[in-house]
């Protein structure tokens, strides 16, 4: 079994990110670089983390007109990332443009096509947030609707909350990869995550990949924390 742990490098500086990456690389399957680190450190941080041999998940959640998203995706492919995120609420045309661009850029550069993950309803949103922006559906319905639209538009993966795993597995084709944050081992506090599952529970519920931030990077010994999570699911 491949290691499904994606360690979130949610730290503000290049030095901290590289130190953490080098320390835990053998115990995880990939690293997630998000808005905080990317905006502070620029694309070079992606190249430097890739240089450790680790896979990179670039979590910048692109959402724009199809042409702009397609170009941003092509730039991400050129950085040789293995996964990246886009917002499914950008619509089918935007998602198709992203997928087409990833395939074309990867072929032109002789790289593997990265997995484009669709983000549905952010877990910070609830039905009031949806109503506020003019969406009448409740969050569960909206998540299913966007997930199905993503699959129809050619995406091969989605980001979802641990509590959406079972419902999504029931309606999506088996090849769809589900990436889930909100993972807590019980050894640490839940922080601001309100709906969590343990690593084993999430895998059993159908997760393909687990995004783990604080339970690894804020642990006294991040390498040991990552190894313990890996042992608990392998
Ligand atoms: O520290 P923690 O394990 O909570 O970090 C989870 C990571 O997953 C963070 O990078 C966070 O931004 C991301 N994430 C999340 N919930 C979502 C989507 C992304 O926690 N719904």
């Amino acid at each position: 079994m491949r290691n499904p742990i994606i360690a979130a490098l949610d730290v503000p500086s290049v030095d901290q990110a590289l130190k953490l990456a080098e320390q835990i690389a053998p115990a995880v399957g990939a690293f997630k670089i998000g808005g905080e680190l990317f905006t502070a450190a620029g694309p070079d941080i992606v190249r430097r983390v890739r240089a450790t041999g680790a896979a990179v998940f670039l979590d910048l959640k692109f959402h724009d007109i199809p042409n702009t998203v397609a170009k941003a995706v092509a730039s991400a492919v050129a950085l040789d990332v293995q996964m990246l995120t886009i917002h499914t609420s950008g619509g089918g045309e935007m998602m198709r443009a992203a997928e087409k661009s990833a395939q074309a850029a990867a072929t032109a550069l002789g790289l593997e096509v990265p997995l484009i993950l669709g983000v549905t309803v952010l877990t910070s949103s609830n039905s009031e947030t949806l109503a506020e922006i003019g969406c009448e559906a409740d969050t569960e319905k909206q998540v299913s609707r966007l997930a199905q639209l993503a699959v129809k538009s050619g995406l091969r993966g989605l980001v979802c909350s641990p509590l959406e795993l079972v419902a999504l597995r029931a309606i999506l084709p088996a090849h769809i990869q589900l990436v889930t944050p909100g993972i807590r081992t019980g050894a640490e506090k839940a922080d601001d995550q309100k709906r969590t599952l343990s690593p084993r529970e999430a895998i059993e519920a159908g997760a393909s990949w687990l995004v783990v931030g604080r339970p690894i990077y804020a642990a006294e010994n991040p390498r040991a924390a990552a190894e313990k999570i890996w042992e608990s699911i392998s």
Side-chain angles (χ1 to χ4, degrees):
M1 178 187 176
R2 63 159 168 73
N3 186 323
I5 304 170
I6 303 174
L9 296 177
D10 290 338
V11 292
S13 77
V14 176
D15 287 353
Q16 281 166 280
L18 288 176
K19 195 170 153 231
L20 182 64
E22 276 158 20
Q23 197 182 3
I24 62 178
V28 301
F31 289 110
K32 180 168 91 76
I33 296 176
E36 180 187 16
L37 182 59
F38 189 84
T39 306
D44 202 41
I45 187 63
V46 177
R47 297 187 192 99
R48 292 178 74 178
V49 173
R50 279 293 291 137
T52 69
V56 168
F57 168 12
L58 186 63
D59 186 19
L60 298 180
K61 299 186 179 67
F62 298 135
H63 185 174
D64 210 314
I65 58 171
N67 183 53
T68 302
V69 168
K71 288 182 176 169
V73 166
S75 294
V77 173
L79 284 174
D80 192 20
V81 303
Q82 283 60 52
M83 297 181 190
L84 64 104
T85 41
I86 64 174
H87 271 287
T88 56
S89 52
E93 191 190 342
M94 192 201 86
M95 289 189 271
R96 285 191 298 277
E99 192 63 46
K100 195 169 156 203
S101 169
Q103 314 251 355
T107 305
L109 295 166
L111 296 168
E112 260 193 53
V113 186
L115 181 65
I116 300 186
L117 300 165
V119 174
T120 60
V121 178
L122 291 171
T123 48
S124 51
S125 297
N126 56 23
S127 357
E128 278 122 66
T129 326
L130 291 183
E132 207 173 47
I133 58 167
C135 176
E136 298 309 328
D138 65 22
T139 45
E140 260 171 60
K141 269 199 202 139
Q142 186 66 359
V143 168
S144 311
R145 184 191 182 115
L146 290 172
Q148 282 167 313
L149 177 65
V151 173
K152 211 172 100 193
S153 308
L155 297 202
R156 291 157 292 134
L158 291 160
V159 178
C160 70
S161 115
L163 301 191
E164 291 159 2
L165 284 166
V166 171
L168 287 178
R169 277 283 169 236
I171 59 165
L172 298 177
H175 74 275
I176 297 298
Q177 301 208 32
L178 295 179
V179 178
T180 186
I183 300 300
R184 289 297 178 270
T185 64
E188 71 294 283
K189 54 184 179 3
D191 305 305
D192 53 354
Q193 295 284 11
K194 293 189 179 64
R195 295 174 301 156
T196 65
L197 285 187
S198 74
R200 175 170 277 279
E201 287 167 337
I203 294 287
E204 284 171 359
S208 318
W209 295 90
L210 310 175
V211 175
V212 187
R214 286 160 288 188
I216 293 179
Y217 73 74
E220 212 168 296
N221 182 339
R223 172 73 176 263
E227 281 168 352
K228 210 165 158 198
I229 294 175
W230 178 215
E231 273 162 28
S232 78
I233 48 181
S234 51

